[in-house]
Amino acid sequence: MSMLRKLFTAVKGGAREAGESIVDANAIRIFEQEIHEGKEAITAAKRNLTEVMAKEMQLTRHIKTLEDKIAQHEEFASQALDKGEEPLALEIAGKIAEFEEEKAAQSPTLSQYQQHIASLKQQIKDAEKQLQENQRQLSIVKTTESVQQATLAVSDTLTAGDSSMASAKESLERIKQRQADRQDRLAAERELADEAQSLEQKMKAAGIGETNDSSADILARIKAKKNS
């Protein structure tokens, strides 16, 4: 059982390492996608903010209407009292109470809208600031990645070039050696030819090795053979 747990742990560790390798290999692409998703989130937040602000404006107008009606009916009640119409003034006061009750019921909602608006605005502001920073950092890491890849490419090229130049140097040395060997052979051949020619000249000067007998010598040799 312990062995199975170790195997399972090893498999999980391999999967984690493989996952980390994939993430590392695609880190910039993932970062770009996260920035894109951040933009979409900000757009959605602004849309929600617009809706909340619209509701806040509507409710603000409604409460303002209630306040106007309250002020108007207070004037009506005052006029009724001036005319001795207290029952009518009381009825108007009842209407004012309804307006005030509705206003009291709507005011907390308006306060909540205002708080949500302030909170959303701050969140959007912070998110946009972070988005700008992420975009700046993305530009930096992409530039760094490009520079590093170019540097690696140059390094690989120079390494390959060093190998090629070393190989070319070896080839050049072999060519020079072969030419030197050939030159030595030619020099040796000339030296042997010069030595052979010098020997023949010395022998000729000494009368050695002459094979071209004169006609008189040949005739004398024939006569000697006949008389013998």
Side-chain angles (χ1 to χ4, degrees):
M1 190 67 181
S2 176
M3 181 61 69
L4 288 175
R5 281 199 299 269
K6 290 181 179 179
L7 289 173
F8 182 65
T9 301
V11 170
K12 288 198 300 182
R16 177 184 56 77
E17 291 177 357
E20 289 177 352
S21 297
I22 293 173
V23 170
D24 290 340
N26 296 275
I28 292 179
R29 185 179 300 174
I30 292 172
F31 190 32
E32 286 180 315
Q33 179 61 29
E34 289 172 343
I35 290 175
H36 176 71
E37 291 175 359
K39 290 180 179 178
E40 291 182 339
I42 290 174
T43 300
K46 287 182 176 180
R47 185 166 54 250
N48 292 335
L49 174 61
T50 300
E51 294 175 356
V52 174
M53 290 178 68
K55 291 179 180 179
E56 187 266 344
M57 291 177 182
Q58 293 170 1
L59 188 54
T60 297
R61 286 197 300 270
H62 180 62
I63 292 176
K64 180 63 170 59
T65 299
L66 290 174
E67 290 174 344
D68 291 342
K69 288 182 177 180
I70 290 171
Q72 184 183 41
H73 281 71
E74 285 178 347
E75 179 62 26
F76 292 158
S78 178
Q79 292 177 11
L81 289 173
D82 290 341
K83 293 181 178 182
E85 298 287 343
E86 188 168 336
L88 179 57
L90 184 60
E91 185 178 350
I92 295 172
K95 192 63 176 178
I96 292 173
E98 292 178 6
F99 292 148
E100 289 180 344
E101 183 179 357
E102 185 177 359
K103 177 186 174 183
Q106 295 294 341
S107 293
T109 302
L110 177 62
S111 178
Q112 289 179 356
Y113 281 156
Q114 292 170 341
Q115 291 175 4
H116 287 324
I117 289 170
S119 177
L120 280 172
K121 284 183 176 180
Q122 186 60 47
Q123 290 176 11
I124 291 172
K125 182 179 180 181
D126 293 342
E128 287 179 332
K129 183 178 180 180
Q130 184 61 52
L131 178 62
Q132 290 176 353
E133 176 62 18
N134 288 343
Q135 289 175 323
R136 188 179 70 84
Q137 291 296 332
L138 175 62
S139 177
I140 292 173
V141 297
K142 288 180 75 172
T143 300
T144 302
E145 185 75 8
S146 177
V147 170
Q148 289 180 347
Q149 288 179 353
T151 302
L152 289 174
V154 170
S155 178
D156 292 342
T157 300
L158 291 177
T159 301
D162 289 343
S163 177
S164 298
M165 287 187 286
S167 178
K169 185 176 180 181
E170 292 177 1
S171 298
L172 178 60
E173 292 299 327
R174 287 196 297 271
I175 293 171
K176 287 182 177 181
Q177 185 61 49
R178 186 170 64 252
Q179 291 177 342
D181 293 343
R182 184 185 300 157
Q183 188 66 31
D184 290 342
R185 286 197 303 271
L186 292 173
E189 290 173 359
R190 284 195 300 270
E191 184 176 345
L192 290 174
D194 292 342
E195 290 178 357
Q197 185 178 8
S198 177
L199 178 61
E200 290 176 359
Q201 290 174 346
K202 290 178 180 178
M203 290 173 63
K204 185 176 181 180
I208 300 172
E210 292 290 342
T211 57
N212 295 327
D213 297 335
S214 65
S215 298
D217 292 336
I218 294 172
L219 182 60
R221 186 175 67 245
I222 293 173
K223 287 180 178 181
K225 286 181 179 180
K226 287 183 70 176
N227 294 327
S228 61

